[in-house]
Amino acid sequence: MATMTRAIALAAALLVGLFAGILFWLPAAWFVRALPSGVRCDAPTGSIWRGTCGRIELGGAAAGALRWRLHGSEFLRGRAVLEVDWSPGRGHAHGMVTLPLFATTVISLTDFSVDTDIAELRRVAPRLTWPVGVDANVHVTLDRLAFDANGPSLLIGRGRIDDLRGYAQLGGTASFTLDARAPGAPPIVTLSTVAGSPIDVRGTLAFHAPRSYALDLTLKPSTAAAAIPYSIAGTY
């Protein structure tokens, strides 16, 4: 009896080890299959735990390369957590992406930083409406962004625009915070200037159903007597 018990225990251990080994060596192509529609990964290498997409497409537009690392320990909490590193071309993005395994599909981005310029954003996301004839260096850190199939529901972060070109002869830096703390869909994000910013920036970024947005700002350089309005709207 004891011999049979030991044999069953050994067989179970071997099966668990075999299953863990299969999971560990799953190719990166398994990760690619889980990507949402509109996102394409070419030339995947590595494994599902740590891999690279040599070329990413967003909505048919080339969007650089992507690297990821999957934190397996988070499975015990019913979620998949990916650390991603994205190089769209001129720029860089890095942060954590969380996807629930069993609940409603709400994707969360935390500690996600983006450093690029408007021209590059316009190239990799052509479906969005971008300022015409305007360029600037953009630095954004998202402390938390949550969204589902209906769009964003929560957004907290901060940003900075440097070397603003092509709009009302504005120059200098505009530093601001992004705040929509109360979960809701769609949210209204408040933009508030950071103390000491050479350009005072205030306004709102409102999301509307179905999948549209409106940005209304006022920009006021420290040397100007009056603020300059700016508005833009589009779909996503």
Side-chain angles (χ1 to χ4, degrees):
M1 185 69 177
T3 301
M4 182 178 294
T5 301
R6 285 196 298 270
I8 293 173
L10 179 59
L14 289 174
L15 287 173
V16 169
L18 178 62
F19 180 69
I22 292 173
L23 284 179
F24 183 80
W25 291 107
L26 281 177
W30 282 67
F31 170 83
V32 174
R33 293 173 188 170
L35 291 174
S37 61
V39 180
R40 177 178 173 179
C41 168
D42 291 332
T45 59
S47 71
I48 192 173
W49 302 102
R50 187 189 296 265
T52 301
C53 285
R55 184 175 183 271
I56 283 282
E57 287 188 5
L58 300 178
L66 178 75
R67 294 192 298 274
W68 73 85
R69 183 164 68 93
L70 180 61
H71 294 251
S73 60
E74 295 295 329
F75 287 153
L76 299 176
R77 300 184 180 183
R79 62 187 186 182
V81 176
L82 291 159
E83 182 177 355
V84 300
D85 196 85
W86 177 36
S87 301
R90 295 195 311 272
H92 178 256
H94 178 268
M96 309 297 291
V97 181
T98 302
L99 302 93
L101 296 178
F102 309 109
T104 304
T105 305
V106 177
I107 301 175
S108 296
L109 275 63
T110 54
D111 299 323
F112 207 92
S113 61
V114 179
D115 293 282
T116 185
D117 57 40
I118 292 177
E120 186 69 4
L121 291 172
R122 187 183 293 114
R123 184 186 68 79
V124 301
R127 292 180 58 185
L128 298 181
T129 302
W130 298 100
V132 177
V134 176
D135 198 8
N137 300 322
V138 180
H139 315 273
V140 176
T141 298
L142 301 175
D143 299 324
R144 176 84 186 278
L145 168 61
F147 62 93
D148 57 21
N150 297 316
S153 59
L154 184 148
L155 194 158
I156 303 170
R158 56 197 181 277
R160 189 178 77 251
I161 297 174
D162 296 324
D163 193 20
L164 182 61
R165 307 177 293 280
Y167 184 70
Q169 304 304 313
L170 289 173
T173 299
S175 299
F176 54 89
T177 59
L178 302 163
D179 199 343
R181 293 178 181 273
I188 297 178
V189 183
T190 301
L191 285 83
S192 304
T193 202
V194 173
S197 173
I199 299 177
D200 184 281
V201 53
R202 301 177 188 274
T204 58
L205 171 60
F207 293 93
H208 306 287
R211 304 180 67 84
S212 62
Y213 62 91
L215 174 65
D216 293 291
L217 296 176
T218 59
L219 303 167
K220 183 179 180 297
S222 57
T223 56
I228 302 169
Y230 182 81
S231 298
I232 191 171
T235 59
Y236 61 94

